[in-house]
Structure formats: C-alpha cells, structure tokens
Amino acid sequence: MPFDVVAQQPKLLYLLQGVAAFAAVVSLVLLALHRGPARRRAAALLLLAPALLPLTIGLVLPGLRTLALSFTDSAGDTWVGLDNYAWMFTDPRALVALRNTLVWAVLVPLASTALGLLYAAAVARSRCRTVALSLLLTPMALSFVGAGVVWKFVYAYRPAGAEQIGLLNRLVVASGGEPRQWLVDSPWNVLFLIVAMVWTQTGFAAVLLAGAIGAVPAELTEAARLDGASPRQVFRRITLPSIRPTLLVVLLAQAIGTLKAFDIVRAMTGGQFDTGVLAHAMDDQAFRYGETGRGAALAVLLFLLVVPLVAHRLRTRRRTG
C-alpha cells in the first residue's frame, strides 16, 4: 500500500510537534546544566524524573508493602509485631534454609571465582582463548532450571543391581562401589546442588577475569621475568594485584546472584531433604502455605543480606571509576 502524504499529514504534524517539544525540553535541560550547581542538580532531577517514577511504582512501593506485610499475620490484615521474625530464627526449617543460604553465599562465589580465575589464567594469552571461553560460557546459556535438570540426571539413582542412568552412580558402580542417593543424604546433598550452581557461574567469572588478565601490561610481566621471577611469582605479585578490582566485582556479583538462588533447588529437590534456601522458603511460605507475613519477613531478610553487598559494589565501582 503506497504511503499517502496528504492523508497522513495530521500524523506527520503530530510527529513533528513531538520532536520539536522533545528538542525544546532537551535544550532547556542542557541550558540549565551550564548554569550554577543548584540548577545543575535540578536539571539532573528533571532528567531522572522519568526513570524515578516507574522505579518508585515498581520497586519502592512493593518494597514498603512487603515490609509492612512482614509485621502482619498470614492473612496480612492483623498486626503481629515481630512474631514472624521470631519464627524465622526459631523454626527448624527456616533455620536450615538460613544455614544453607549462608553456605551457598560463601562456597559458590569462592568456588566459581577460583575455578574461573584458574581457567582464565590458562587461556587468557593463548590463541584458542575465544573458543575456550565460549565452551566454558555455554552453561550460562541454560536457564537455572535447565541446569538443575541436567545435574539431576547426573545424580540420578537406581537401586543396586539395576542399570544406573546417572553418570555419577555409573562411575561409582564401575569402580566397585554401591550407588547412592546423592540428593537425599543431608547435609552433603547441599554441596551437590552447589556444584550445579558453580557449573553455571564459572564461565561468567572466567570471561571477566580473562579480560582483566589480558589488560595487564605485558611490559610488567616481561620485566618481572627478566628479573628472574617464576610464572607463579608473576601471577601472584603482578597479575593478581592488577586484576583485584575485577576480582572483587566478580565475587560480589556471584554472591548477590547466589543469595537469590531458587530455580536449581526447586528443579533438583523441591527444597526437600534439608536443601531449602531462603528464596525457596519465602516462596513456599507466601504462595504454598499461605503464610504471607512469614514469606514477607523472609523477603525482608533476603533484602537485608543483599543490600550490604550492593552498597559495597557501588562504592567500589565509584572508587575505581
């Protein structure tokens, strides 16, 4: 269908008016930016206003509503004070979820960052760096649910004498051992879930750290080698201090992501056998058991655990520029 300029003239006029109005607003803002500091701050607020409004509606107000619900009963209409928080630190299942979350938050960032660092150091200056990093990054293409299903097959169990379909039990049986229910035996089953999370996150750490290692000036490492430093000394005294900001960012990002771990637990065990974490317990309380107040209290605790990490990351980013 041909474009009729005459018929579309009113729409074109509206479009031109909109462009002119936008240009006028931007011009006024830019003009204000060239005046004193007070006007500059006002102009900055004016620029941020379109973003602050949906942020307030989509984040601040639900956050305040969740905080208010954490002080109410299961129906969300009767004030119960700190009862939900007292329950959170006395209920055995909630305590298990809190313990598991702390274990996840410590082990996942350390393991995935350490493995990613070793891998990045090995491939950072090699010719096949792109292919090697792409291979390690492949698990990130999967959703956490997909990764959980993959590792559930790895840990799959069949009774002794039956053909094992799980890779791990196949290896155990081939070695003369007895098959085990890896996802049932507590507390070791938590570690097997953590392996799945580390598998998905190591590629992210390796890519960032490989970039940081590649950016270390070659003159520094060459000078150290000429002075007689071994490869291990070069890595420990030149490379590691140079990539410390990136290393910190990776650790914090992994820790923040780990605190929100939910999908892998849901896909592999459903939170059974003492494998629950805070995010999973929050979902269970709020939407499975109808305990809105307890679910909100768990959400507030999760938020309080994430905030210091986010604040530290922002401060580090501001310091490093």
Side-chain angles (χ1 to χ4, degrees):
M1 183 178 179
F3 183 78
D4 189 347
V5 177
V6 177
Q8 302 296 330
Q9 188 175 4
K11 295 181 180 178
L12 291 174
L13 286 176
Y14 290 143
L15 177 62
L16 289 175
Q17 289 173 2
V19 172
F22 177 76
V25 170
V26 172
S27 300
L28 288 173
V29 170
L30 292 176
L31 182 64
L33 285 173
H34 286 285
R35 301 295 175 83
R39 290 190 176 184
R40 186 174 299 178
R41 287 193 293 270
L45 287 176
L46 186 62
L47 285 171
L48 289 173
L52 289 177
L53 181 61
L55 188 68
T56 303
I57 296 174
L59 185 63
V60 177
L61 294 181
L64 294 175
R65 173 63 175 163
T66 302
L67 180 62
L69 285 174
S70 70
F71 297 106
T72 63
D73 63 354
S74 58
D77 53 10
T78 303
W79 180 266
V80 296
L82 296 174
D83 286 0
N84 292 323
Y85 292 93
W87 163 85
M88 194 165 53
F89 291 105
T90 54
D91 182 75
R93 287 182 302 175
L95 288 175
V96 168
L98 181 59
R99 179 203 66 188
N100 291 343
T101 301
L102 295 178
V103 172
W104 277 66
V106 171
L107 291 186
V108 172
L110 290 178
S112 56
T113 304
L115 292 174
L117 178 60
L118 291 175
Y119 194 84
V123 305
R125 299 188 188 279
S126 69
R127 293 180 180 177
C128 58
R129 164 185 165 168
T130 303
V131 176
L133 291 175
S134 300
L135 289 175
L136 196 63
L137 204 57
T138 303
M140 283 198 72
L142 293 175
S143 64
F144 285 135
V145 174
V149 171
V150 169
W151 280 91
K152 195 173 182 180
F153 278 117
V154 172
Y155 299 137
Y157 165 81
R158 292 291 182 274
E163 183 181 2
Q164 299 297 322
I165 62 172
L167 176 61
L168 194 53
N169 273 325
R170 270 185 175 272
L171 294 175
V172 170
V173 172
S175 305
E178 293 290 325
R180 293 187 56 186
Q181 300 188 62
W182 307 100
L183 298 179
V184 174
D185 298 335
S186 177
W188 305 108
N189 49 3
V190 175
L191 298 180
F192 293 117
L193 297 185
I194 287 176
V195 170
M197 186 71 168
V198 171
W199 181 67
T200 63
Q201 297 301 304
T202 300
F204 167 75
V207 169
L208 291 186
L209 294 173
I213 292 173
V216 175
E219 295 81 4
L220 289 177
T221 56
E222 288 299 327
R225 289 193 182 96
L226 290 175
D227 288 341
S230 65
R232 181 177 298 180
Q233 289 174 322
V234 171
F235 181 76
R236 187 160 54 92
R237 298 186 177 180
I238 302 294
T239 305
L240 273 183
S242 300
I243 66 170
R244 186 177 299 162
T246 306
L247 205 57
L248 186 58
V249 167
V250 172
L251 276 171
L252 290 175
Q254 301 276 10
I256 293 170
T258 302
L259 285 173
K260 299 182 294 182
F262 170 83
D263 312 67
I264 288 179
V265 175
R266 174 59 65 89
M268 296 183 70
T269 63
Q272 301 180 80
F273 318 118
D274 291 340
T275 58
V277 290
L278 279 182
H280 192 271
M282 175 189 67
D283 180 76
D284 271 353
Q285 293 296 329
F287 303 111
R288 186 177 177 187
Y289 304 135
E291 294 286 350
T292 307
R294 293 177 178 178
L298 289 168
V300 171
L301 175 62
L302 202 55
F303 176 75
L304 293 177
L305 291 176
V306 171
V307 165
L309 299 175
V310 174
H312 190 273
R313 183 178 178 181
L314 291 176
R315 191 174 63 177
T316 305
R317 185 175 180 179
R318 186 177 300 172
R319 189 182 302 165
T320 57

